[in-house]
Amino acid sequence: MRVDQLVYARWIVPVEPANEVLDNHAIAISEGKIVDLIPAADAERKFTAAETRHLVSHALLPGFINAHTHATMTLFRGLANDLHLMDWLNHYIWPAENRWVDTEFVEDGTRHAIAEMLRNGTTCFNDMYFFPGHTAEIAVACGI
């Protein structure tokens, strides 16, 4: 069977069944979807692939989900760190938001946050910040 990609890995950690680590397996991908998760020796017999990757010392895991983000706030990173929460919010964050946050700021901050998330294995996020429609549009455009 022809697939777009075969990815061999030393370990694959699936979501289900729980607490299972597959040793020397491969993932077959066709049209952007996983079509099989199979022992490496069987994959070589069952599939031919346009692209093959051998990750001999890697573990493949599902993408991470960030269930609580304020993605745009990456642009405020480092602003008055190490303060008590209400002092930080009242005297630094809320005034900065009043001065800087608009749709363009949210779009820029969201793009930056998405780049960081994708680079670090996060494939889905739930954002709670201003202009959620703009955040959603950018997320779709970035493929997260």
Side-chain angles (χ1 to χ4, degrees):
M1 176 180 188
R2 182 121 177 101
V3 293
D4 300 325
Q5 189 175 32
L6 268 175
V7 180
Y8 294 88
R10 178 65 174 92
W11 303 278
I12 296 176
V13 184
V15 173
E16 292 181 359
N19 302 314
E20 185 161 338
V21 176
L22 305 174
D23 194 32
N24 290 312
H25 273 62
I27 296 174
I29 302 167
S30 187
E31 297 180 7
K33 295 184 176 162
I34 295 172
V35 295
D36 208 346
L37 179 56
I38 187 169
D42 296 337
E44 293 170 2
R45 288 189 293 273
K46 184 175 180 180
F47 296 106
T48 57
E51 179 184 350
T52 302
R53 297 193 65 190
H54 293 274
L55 306 173
V56 296
S57 61
H58 291 73
L60 293 181
L61 299 102
F64 299 123
I65 298 169
N66 188 338
H68 184 126
T69 65
H70 306 270
T72 299
M73 290 186 78
T74 59
L75 299 180
F76 291 131
R77 187 177 290 141
L79 177 64
N81 285 344
D82 300 326
L83 298 176
H84 292 284
L85 176 62
M86 295 315 296
D87 185 26
W88 180 69
L89 289 171
N90 285 313
H91 299 107
Y92 296 93
I93 293 301
W94 290 336
E97 287 176 334
N98 284 332
R99 179 172 182 192
W100 296 107
V101 174
D102 59 15
T103 57
E104 184 178 359
F105 188 87
V106 168
E107 290 168 5
D108 291 344
T110 299
R111 280 189 187 90
H112 181 263
I114 288 172
E116 287 183 345
M117 286 188 270
L118 288 171
R119 184 169 192 263
N120 291 293
T122 298
T123 58
C124 183
F125 72 104
N126 177 42
D127 198 65
M128 295 167 245
Y129 206 63
F130 302 107
F131 307 107
H134 290 276
T135 300
E137 288 175 13
I138 292 163
V140 168
C142 292
I144 189 171

